[in-house]
Amino acid sequence: MKNPFHNRYFRIAVSAWLVIAMSILCFFAFYKMNTIVGVVKNISAILRPFTFGFVVAYLLLPIFNGMVKHCEPLMLRVVRNQEKARGINRLLCSLLSVTFFLFVVGGLLSMVLPQLAESIMGLIEKMPAYLQQSEMWLTNLFSNNPVLEENLQQLYAAASETMLSWANQQLVPQLIEVMKGNLVGSFVSNALSFMKTVLVGVISAVYMLNSKHTFAAQAKKLIYSMFETDTANAVVENFRFVHKVFGGFITGKLLDSLIIGLITFVAMTVLKMPYIMLISVIIGVTNIIPFFGPFIGAIPSTILIFLVSPLQAVYFVIFILILQQFDGNILGPKILGDSTGLASFWVMFAILLFGGLFGFVGMVVGVPLFAVIYSAISGLVNRSLRNKDISTATADYIRLDHIDAESKEMIPLTAQTTPPTAIKLERFKRRKPEEKPEKGEHPKIEKKK
């Protein structure tokens, strides 16, 4: 039977039908946008445990791979069957990896949360005295300028009143409920939902780590069934690149932020600064955000220390500047390397763009995500240039005036450079009458008398 797709008119009819169908779908998608967003939110809420499990499994992947590599020879000695030994080894390593994750997270939370709550409660209790002390310090500082002093006092009084009102009416009641264990109403529902997410997510992480080779094989099988072999090879290679960028950046940034938090804790302990645990957590967590993270964490931390001692706040600012220089020039490059390959401008652009779209998560994953998009666009541009037999080196275009259409020679920008239009006009003028016009040129046609 003859294939109908060999018929030109049949292909045109199918293409027209697809265009009309997609237009109708797009219209209804915009018309029912609120319904679609609600459905997407419900689906994401249902799949939240699996998303949590995937994130945990992805973060534990380096630990899991290291365990499998080192434990496999020992397991092959114990179990004679090779396939069975590898299966048992993967299962045990996945269980050990997830157990290690739970142990580390549980240990950190058990150490940090009590001191964190104690620091916050102590800050709230002493805040009126700190505010009064800071007000007196500002008054003495600007005593020689009454106008500026009055304006600063009004601004400071408004800010102090707002902060105290928020702390007394919202923050303190919630902290008291959490610390006393009054988990009723919606809090019980949220706690149960959280426990369900964690439990199902941990189980999913074990399955994902144990079956990652099977999942990868199934994904490759699907890709090679959908595309031509060359295209499928390119898709698989691009997924490897995405995994390399995301894995290297996220795991490296988490390790870097943990080390920065520990250094902050040790330094503040030595310098005997207030709110050691609270500020160390703030600095460590915000350091996950590239570029803007140090500033986001340092500003509120400096304000907290300033309320206790303005001189210690100055010391803290100096310490943060030294710490960020150490992180940016020594620790960060040592751990992360050049995992993204993006210039500083594009890093800032990616953080602002994805942070505005997706919040804190967007600020964390925005840099590697933009690096993948940037690499894909760069690859398409370079491939198009190679097909046209034109240079792909960016340095060749810095002083470029134009490219000769025939020889593909790159003409640099100089004061004597003749524009391409002038070259073509000069060539047209010098052509003999009997010469035929070159391709793309139109000879002058005289009007009939």
Side-chain angles (χ1 to χ4, degrees), residues 442-448:
H442 303 281
K444 185 177 180 182
I445 301 174
E446 296 182 358
K447 293 182 179 181
K448 294 182 179 179

Side-chain angles (χ1 to χ4, degrees), residues 70-85:
H70 289 90
C71 296
E72 188 171 334
L74 179 62
M75 190 61 64
L76 288 173
R77 293 177 187 174
V78 176
V79 181
R80 298 297 180 185
N81 190 331
Q82 231 177 22
E83 281 298 319
K84 192 174 181 180

Side-chain angles (χ1 to χ4, degrees), residues 256-273:
D256 175 69
S257 300
L258 176 63
I259 294 173
I260 291 297
L262 291 174
I263 293 174
T264 305
F265 178 82
V266 172
M268 292 186 68
T269 304
V270 172
L271 296 173
K272 297 180 180 180
M273 291 187 178

Side-chain angles (χ1 to χ4, degrees), residues 219-228 232:
K220 291 177 186 176
K221 183 179 177 181
L222 179 64
I223 290 170
Y224 280 100
S225 68
M226 293 174 60
F227 303 102
E228 296 292 334

